[in-house]
Amino acid sequence: ADLRDADLEGATLVEANLEGADLSRADLTGANLTSAFLTNALLQNATLDEANLTDASIYFAEVNGASFLDANLTGAEIVGTPISVGGD
């Protein structure tokens, strides 16, 4: 799916299958991505601030330049994706 530059702020994407989706530069601020499937998703420069990624599957996603400020990653499975959980 080509969702580049999409405005998905506050969207409900519970259990969404976004495998291989291009979400580059998309605004997912506050989106509900609970149990979403994000394998091989392109999230470069996307904004996921305050997004709910509880129990999401994030495998080998491209996240260069993406923002996850205050995102909820509780129970998320993160494999091969450079997301660090926590603060300084």
Side-chain angles (χ1 to χ4, degrees), residues 5-37:
D5 300 301
D7 181 0
L8 298 168
E9 183 175 353
T12 299
L13 298 165
V14 175
E15 296 181 359
N17 183 349
L18 296 168
E19 180 175 5
D22 189 346
L23 291 153
S24 300
R25 300 175 307 279
D27 183 358
L28 291 150
T29 302
N32 186 351
L33 291 151
T34 299
S35 299
F37 190 66

Side-chain angles (χ1 to χ4, degrees), residues 43-59:
L43 295 163
Q44 292 101 330
N45 299 305
T47 303
L48 292 107
D49 297 346
E50 299 177 7
N52 183 356
L53 291 150
T54 301
D55 297 326
S57 298
I58 307 169
Y59 305 135

